[in-house]
Amino acid sequence: PRGGERSGVRAVAMDECRCIGACADARLTIWDLETGDAIQEMVGAVDPRQIQSQDCALMVGGSDVIQLWDARAGMCHREIPVNGLRCMQFDQSSIITGHDDGHIRVWDLRQAEVLHMADLGSGRVRSLSFDDSNLVCACAREGDQGGTVVAFALAMGFPLHLESLACRCIPTSVVLDSCRRRQLYFGCNTGVIQSWHMPMMTE
């Protein structure tokens, strides 16, 4: 991408037309993917751990705050205090966050209130991914002791534990396959990407 000198891009998000970069110098830069040109720059972002975009809505997560940005107005319109944020994802009604203390939290997006909290008991939550039906989390234990991928079914936004997959490697990121239901992929510190077909929820 061209335009706008940047200082340490810490997180990136993309959609069909844009690439959004969150930088260490508190700037958010949006590039046009077709031309490669910077088309917008906003100032005031936290030092990010993750960024996500959905249309004109941007969510930037730092270690102790989540910022909600309106790209049309070019401004942050809400900040949500958090503790030890490691990863996050949001949709039209909720935010799910993963934390250094091994907990996940399900938030009401509009009220910015925690609806549910669970200790996964598997170390810090390094990555998560959810869709309408499932939530998966990649967790790492202290030191070089491997990790766990934890799968949940989502019932009315409430996570119901399905199964945990113990890993000798440390899972660093996880994503649900949008085309194949209950299929997920997770990357490991060993340089390997593994796949797992999650179990169905039993009655």
Side-chain angles (χ1 to χ4, degrees):
R2 298 185 295 271
E5 294 299 322
R6 291 160 298 281
S7 172
V9 177
R10 298 292 180 84
V12 174
M14 296 180 68
D15 58 26
E16 293 180 355
C17 303
R18 307 171 304 164
C19 175
I20 303 103
C23 304
D25 61 2
R27 282 188 292 177
L28 295 173
T29 304
I30 300 178
W31 292 274
D32 183 291
L33 287 177
E34 184 175 351
T35 65
D37 294 327
I39 57 176
Q40 187 176 359
E41 190 165 84
M42 297 167 281
V43 179
V46 296
D47 188 7
R49 289 190 169 188
Q50 191 169 352
I51 182 172
Q52 185 188 348
S53 67
Q54 191 173 98
D55 299 324
C56 291
L58 303 177
M59 182 174 287
V60 183
S63 62
D64 58 3
V65 67
I66 294 173
Q67 292 182 326
L68 306 180
W69 287 74
D70 184 341
R72 293 169 298 187
M75 62 181 294
C76 174
H77 62 86
R78 176 181 283 186
E79 291 191 342
I80 303 173
V82 293
N83 292 315
L85 181 74
R86 177 61 57 173
C87 53
M88 66 180 189
Q89 185 180 331
F90 77 102
D91 60 17
Q92 294 182 345
S93 61
S94 63
I95 313 169
I96 301 181
T97 56
H99 299 261
D100 287 332
D101 63 4
H103 286 76
I104 57 169
R105 292 170 173 84
V106 181
W107 303 70
D108 180 281
L109 176 59
R110 293 174 180 83
Q111 301 298 323
E113 295 179 349
V114 177
L115 303 177
H116 178 71
M117 180 172 66
D119 184 358
L120 303 190
S122 301
R124 66 177 56 184
V125 184
R126 301 191 61 165
S127 177
L128 63 81
S129 178
F130 74 90
D131 57 20
D132 293 339
S133 303
N134 295 104
L135 162 69
V136 291
C137 302
C139 304
R141 292 186 288 274
E142 293 296 327
D144 190 17
Q145 301 179 38
T148 308
V149 177
V150 188
F152 299 86
L154 289 177
M156 302 290 291
F158 189 89
L160 303 173
H161 182 254
L162 290 175
E163 191 170 334
S164 297
L165 179 68
C167 308
R168 293 183 178 178
C169 63
I170 298 175
T172 55
S173 60
V174 64
V175 63
L176 283 165
D177 190 326
S178 60
C179 298
R180 290 189 288 179
R181 201 165 185 82
R182 306 198 322 277
Q183 185 75 25
L184 68 88
Y185 300 89
F186 60 96
C188 300
N189 65 328
T190 56
V192 174
I193 295 176
Q194 300 188 45
S195 64
W196 181 29
H197 191 72
M198 295 183 296
M200 293 182 64
M201 184 170 63
T202 57
E203 297 294 336

